[in-house]
Amino acid sequence: MTKQVPKGADRQDAIADAAIHLVATRGLRGLTHRAVDTEAGLPPGSTSYYLRTRNALLTACVSRMLARDVSAMPPAGADPLDLMVGMTLGMARDRPDDLVARYELSLEASRQPELRAAITEGGRQLRAMLAQLLDGLGVPEPEAAAWPVAAMMDGLMYDRVAGAGATLSPEAFEAAVRRSVVALIAGLKGDR
């Protein structure tokens, strides 16, 4: 059976997905338009048709990961603390390629203002959603608190995919994440 080649928006998503996977598995050096075409199973020239420049390709990766982050947000009504723990665990477990690619792209963004702008805007959107969860937990000044909370969650995910946290059992990692999030929220609320 022949694999069906995606069209339109599906093709653009396939291109971004392939690019993310390449960045995660080969680093930025392994990211070329030709490599993306091959990884996505697309005819040669497909990636450059949609994304002419390398910067456009990098920005497409950031946009695609942001779209996945937003769509992965659970529905309202669940316990905000459980949502925060669940997001951290779920990202590290289900989307390690996105995490590794995001860290690679973040470092590259320190040298590329256009990419930095895309990452900054994506982070702003995610922190605004996180601020809503923090508000639901009674954290004072949730918008200001969203930055350190996001940084801690990001650090936990980084450690899971690229650090010593990779050696923990799933249960030990979950317990560590829950303990860390609970302690940080208690500290932000002034609970001791």
Side-chain angles (χ1 to χ4, degrees):
M1 187 169 147
T2 307
K3 182 179 173 184
Q4 186 153 358
V5 177
K7 305 273 187 213
D10 289 340
R11 181 174 281 197
Q12 291 176 44
D13 288 347
I15 288 169
D17 291 344
I20 291 164
H21 179 72
L22 287 169
V23 170
T25 58
R26 298 184 191 172
L28 288 170
R29 289 179 137 184
L31 182 67
T32 65
H33 285 76
R34 183 178 298 172
V36 173
D37 288 340
T38 301
E39 181 70 26
L42 297 172
S46 296
T47 298
S48 61
Y49 174 79
Y50 287 99
L51 303 164
R52 285 253 180 254
T53 66
R54 182 172 174 81
N55 278 343
L57 185 55
L58 297 175
T59 301
C61 290
V62 172
S63 297
R64 179 70 171 142
M65 289 186 289
L66 176 62
R68 284 201 285 248
D69 288 344
V70 170
S71 71
M73 289 296 285
D79 176 73
L81 189 67
D82 287 339
L83 290 176
M84 292 168 55
V85 170
M87 288 185 309
T88 304
L89 296 172
M91 282 284 295
R93 179 189 62 238
D94 303 333
R95 294 176 45 211
D97 275 5
D98 279 18
L99 292 173
V100 172
R102 188 172 80 205
Y103 304 134
E104 291 266 357
L105 291 165
S106 294
L107 292 172
E108 183 67 15
S110 68
R111 297 175 291 276
Q112 294 193 32
E114 184 179 318
L115 184 58
R116 167 62 65 205
I119 288 175
T120 299
E121 176 55 24
R124 186 198 61 72
Q125 290 178 40
L126 294 173
R127 282 189 302 280
M129 292 187 295
L130 182 57
Q132 292 175 345
L133 294 176
L134 295 173
D135 188 47
L137 288 166
V139 171
E141 300 181 49
E143 293 80 16
W147 176 80
V149 172
M152 185 203 67
M153 291 169 66
D154 200 41
L156 290 166
M157 291 183 290
Y158 175 85
D159 192 57
R160 183 63 170 173
V161 299
T167 64
L168 296 175
S169 70
E171 297 79 17
F173 180 65
E174 180 174 353
V177 168
R178 184 166 296 280
R179 208 171 32 252
S180 299
V181 171
V182 167
L184 181 60
I185 298 304
L188 289 168
K189 290 171 61 176
D191 300 343
R192 295 273 142 100

